[in-house]
């Protein structure tokens, strides 16, 4: 059951749903890539000022990072929003076939239009609660750019931005209503740029020094490194410059983007040092030069079971969205277009009991919309991906949930998600998540003993100390 304060917050979100949906629609209609979210930033800051929040722009020196604060005193609760899109995912909303709005354009395949707007709704509801209750406390909405590439939260963590909070709350669009538990991989990205000497590949090959050879030799070296990495490590790469399309020219430039992953950020840093040496060796072998450009990095998530239980209680207490027959039919038709399908809510280390529960409730994946709440996952759950929410979790107790905004089994970063994320299904899930986050924050304001317990758990888990993956002189960088 929701107490009166939570009911009032939920009612506030419902009454002002058109404001939050308008923000979500605007960001959906104006998709901007990581670290280039200028329209979204302007819109959010305007909404925050209109609601009486004190706004700080260019937060931590990042042009599209900002925060809006309301209230005074402690506790200080942060609510995190994201708003960056993905390239190549332009898509008409509300349809069940692929049709771009702008060929080759961007789209919100991860639902960050809803993520930011839903978090804004929660922040406004908490402000309304503090105002009505006339109690001490501060709520801060954080605009966090570059989650898809750029690691805005990690750059902000380098400046200790999150350490001033007593707790942080966020959410993510998904195909299940579920509290995120467990941890995931850390990651670091670096571009290695090789520079050689151009020459005619037939008449004067001896005068050339091939940057492309250097990049390829680096890749070969990393292939041999794979045998000698921990099984918990991963290395991925992509060419960002192959020196041109003329085979009769010795390519004078080449660049390759590497991402290294490990369960712990300390291990990612160690692995990256070995990759650095391979790049240096490749340049030495080819008599080229190499420049190293740090891009971004993220730490692994630090779970907080105290906060997870609080959020789980609210996930179960807040009334779930009621989907219409038309919405269910649309979800079923969209689901039928999936060529690959994820298992809803299943993390790699879920117990057999949890997997069986999910199979039963999702009707073995055939259910179009998962309109139920998943029980709190195993505390050992592990996800292979990476997120800069991890860096927040090393500086303050952090909790996040998923809410149904996509059909069951939705493939990540897909045109189907773009289509559904602009529909009424996405809107309902977003407003549900906003109510859950607001209720969770209210618990922390009203139950200081719970917040203290979360802080004590955080102190134990973070005892080893935060290792920031962002290098000292690095700046947020757009990869093009």
């Amino acid at each position: 059951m929701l107490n009166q304060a939570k009911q009032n917050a939920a009612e506030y979100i419902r009454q002002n749903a058109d404001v939050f949906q308008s923000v979500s629609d605007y960001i959906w209609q104006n998709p901007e890539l990581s670290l280039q979210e200028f329209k979204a930033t302007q819109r959010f800051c305007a909404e925050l000022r209109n609601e009486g929040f004190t706004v700080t722009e260019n937060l931590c020196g990042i042009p599209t990072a900002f925060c809006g604060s309301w209230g005074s005193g402690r506790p200080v609760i942060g609510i995190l929003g994201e708003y960056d899109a993905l390239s190549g995912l332009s898509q008409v909303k509300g349809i069940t076939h692929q049709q771009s709005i702008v060929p080759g354009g961007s789209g919100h395949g991860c639902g960050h239009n809803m993520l930011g707007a839903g978090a804004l709704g929660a922040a406004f509801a908490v402000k309304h609660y503090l105002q009505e209750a006339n109690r001490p406390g501060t709520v801060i909405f954080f605009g966090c750019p570059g989650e898809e590439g750029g690691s805005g939260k990690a750059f902000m963590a380098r400046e200790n931005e999150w350490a001033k909070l007593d707790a942080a709350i966020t959410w993510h669009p998904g195909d299940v209503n579920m509290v995120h538990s467990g941890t995931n991989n850390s990651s670091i990205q670096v571009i290695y740029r090789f520079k050689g000497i151009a020459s005619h590949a037939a008449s004067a090959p001896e005068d050339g020094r091939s940057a492309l050879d250097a990049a390829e030799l680096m890749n070969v070296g990393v292939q041999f490194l794979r045998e000698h990495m921990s099984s918990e490590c991963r290395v991925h790469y992509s060419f960002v410059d192959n020196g041109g399309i003329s085979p009769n020219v010795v390519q004078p430039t080449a660049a390759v983007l590497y991402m290294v992953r490990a369960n712990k950020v300390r291990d990612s840093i160690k692995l990256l040092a070995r990759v650095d040496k391979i790049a240096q060796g490749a340049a030495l072998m080819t008599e080229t030069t190499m420049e190293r450009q740090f891009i971004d990095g993220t730490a692994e998530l630090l779970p907080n079971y105290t906060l997870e239980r609080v959020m789980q209680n609210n996930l179960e207490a807040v009334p779930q969205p009621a989907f219409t027959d038309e919405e269910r039919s649309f979800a079923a038709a969209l689901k039928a277009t999936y060529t690959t399908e994820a298992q809803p809510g299943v993390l790699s280390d879920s117990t057999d009991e949890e997997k069986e529960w999910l199979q039963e409730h999702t009707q073995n994946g055939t259910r179009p919309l998962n309109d139920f709440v998943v029980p709190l996952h195993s505390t050992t759950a592990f996800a292979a991906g990476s997120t800069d929410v991890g860096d927040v979790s090393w500086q303050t107790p952090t909790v996040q949930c998923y809410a149904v905004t996509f059909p069951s089994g939705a493939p990540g970063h897909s045109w189907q998600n773009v289509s559904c994320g602009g529909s009424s299904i996405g809107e309902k899930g977003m407003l549900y998540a906003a109510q859950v986050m607001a209720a969770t924050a209210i618990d922390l304001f009203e139950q200081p003993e719970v917040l203290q317990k979360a802080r004590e758990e955080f102190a134990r888990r973070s005892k080893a100390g935060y290792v920031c993956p962002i290098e000292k002189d690095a700046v947020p960088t757009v990869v093009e």
Side-chain angles (χ1 to χ4, degrees):
M1 288 288 293
L2 297 175
N3 65 20
Q4 191 61 52
K6 294 180 187 179
Q7 290 181 39
N8 292 345
E11 182 61 24
Y12 173 86
I13 291 169
R14 288 192 292 268
Q15 288 180 354
N16 293 275
D18 58 336
V19 174
F20 311 125
Q21 184 57 34
S22 175
V23 172
S24 178
D25 287 343
Y26 177 80
I27 296 171
W28 188 95
Q29 292 162 7
N30 295 276
E32 299 168 295
L33 299 179
S34 294
L35 305 177
Q36 302 173 65
E37 315 96 327
F38 295 102
K39 291 181 180 179
T41 295
Q42 185 179 36
R43 178 63 183 268
F44 275 116
C45 289
E47 296 289 348
L48 287 162
R49 289 191 175 99
N50 287 340
E51 189 61 25
F53 282 67
T54 300
V55 175
T56 301
E57 298 188 61
N58 199 39
L59 190 62
C60 297
I62 305 172
T64 55
F66 59 90
C67 70
S69 177
W70 196 94
S72 62
R74 306 199 83 93
V76 180
I77 306 299
I79 298 179
L80 316 182
E82 300 168 13
Y83 33 86
D84 55 335
L86 291 154
S87 63
L89 285 180
S90 176
Q91 170 64 34
V92 176
K93 68 179 177 181
I95 64 174
T96 58
H97 63 277
Q98 191 169 9
Q99 181 181 332
S100 63
I101 300 172
V102 178
S106 303
H108 280 281
C110 209
H112 290 181
N113 60 302
M114 298 175 287
L115 199 167
L120 187 73
F124 282 12
V126 173
K127 177 251 182 179
H128 178 75
Y129 156 76
L130 290 172
Q131 195 171 35
E132 291 295 308
N134 193 28
R135 64 182 304 143
T138 305
V139 59
I140 305 178
F141 176 87
F142 285 92
C144 305
E147 194 278 334
E148 298 293 358
S151 301
K153 300 184 198 68
F155 277 93
M156 294 157 78
R158 186 182 62 178
E159 309 305 316
N160 292 314
E161 185 66 26
W162 312 113
K164 66 186 181 185
L165 301 178
D166 291 303
I169 301 171
T170 190
W171 79 291
H172 202 286
D175 70 334
V176 287
N177 299 311
M178 180 182 78
V179 172
H180 188 290
S181 185
T183 187
N184 63 346
N185 272 320
S186 66
S187 70
I188 305 177
Q189 291 194 99
V190 172
I191 293 179
Y192 300 90
R193 302 184 187 277
F194 296 92
K195 187 174 182 180
I197 300 173
S199 69
H200 196 290
S203 63
E206 70 279 8
D207 293 335
R209 298 294 182 267
S210 174
L212 185 58
D213 284 354
E216 290 197 290
L217 282 169
M218 178 185 176
N219 291 341
V220 171
V222 173
Q223 296 288 18
F224 280 98
L225 173 63
R226 294 178 195 279
E227 182 184 357
H228 305 286
M229 300 186 316
S230 164
S231 60
E232 297 177 344
C233 295
R234 299 287 185 272
V235 180
H236 325 295
Y237 72 94
S238 174
F239 273 98
V240 295
D241 174 16
N242 61 11
I245 62 171
S246 300
N248 59 339
V249 175
V250 175
Q251 290 89 346
T253 64
V256 60
L257 171 63
Y258 265 84
M259 174 184 279
V260 302
R261 296 189 202 257
N263 291 178
K264 306 291 183 184
V265 69
R266 288 180 173 82
D267 294 328
S268 282
I269 291 172
K270 291 177 182 177
L271 180 59
L272 181 64
R274 300 187 71 182
V275 175
D276 286 345
K277 291 178 181 178
I278 291 172
Q280 294 163 5
L284 183 64
M285 285 189 287
T286 54
E287 294 186 326
T288 58
T289 59
M290 185 273 292
E291 292 183 357
R292 177 186 181 278
Q293 181 184 13
F294 181 91
I295 300 300
D296 61 30
T298 65
E300 71 276 13
L301 280 163
L302 198 65
N304 191 288
Y305 303 149
T306 302
L307 291 186
E308 288 171 13
R309 285 189 285 270
V310 173
M311 182 169 263
Q312 180 73 24
N313 290 339
N314 288 302
L315 198 69
E316 294 173 357
V318 171
Q320 295 176 57
F323 295 112
T324 66
D325 290 342
E326 183 180 5
E327 288 168 336
R328 293 180 187 279
S329 295
F330 170 71
L334 198 60
K335 181 177 172 62
T337 68
Y338 298 165
T339 55
T340 59
E341 190 170 316
Q343 283 187 289
V346 176
L347 299 180
S348 59
D349 209 18
S350 298
T351 65
D352 289 341
E353 182 179 356
E354 289 166 341
K355 291 176 181 178
E356 290 176 3
W357 189 95
L358 281 163
Q359 287 175 350
E360 176 184 351
H361 283 74
T362 62
Q363 299 171 0
N364 292 318
T366 62
R367 193 171 188 151
L369 288 168
N370 292 323
D371 51 353
F372 53 83
V373 174
V374 178
L376 196 60
H377 257 65
S378 165
T379 55
T380 60
F382 177 81
S386 305
T387 173
D388 57 5
V389 175
D391 298 270
V392 181
S393 73
W394 277 93
Q395 292 191 337
T396 193
T398 303
V399 67
Q400 58 184 323
C401 67
Y402 297 102
V404 171
T405 55
F406 308 131
S408 172
H413 296 185
S414 63
W415 67 262
Q416 292 97 332
N417 286 0
V418 184
S419 179
C420 196
S423 73
S424 59
I425 294 173
E427 176 184 356
K428 289 179 177 180
M430 175 188 74
L431 296 175
Y432 171 63
Q435 294 172 56
V436 171
M437 288 187 289
T440 300
I442 289 171
D443 277 333
L444 301 183
F445 284 111
E446 294 192 339
Q447 301 177 45
E449 70 281 3
V450 173
L451 183 57
Q452 179 61 30
K453 186 177 178 182
R455 297 289 306 177
E456 291 171 355
E457 180 183 347
F458 168 76
R460 292 194 305 272
R461 294 189 180 279
S462 63
K463 190 175 181 179
Y466 173 52
V467 177
C468 183
I470 306 299
E471 296 179 356
K472 181 179 178 180
D473 298 324
V475 296
T477 301
V478 176
V479 178
E480 296 179 317

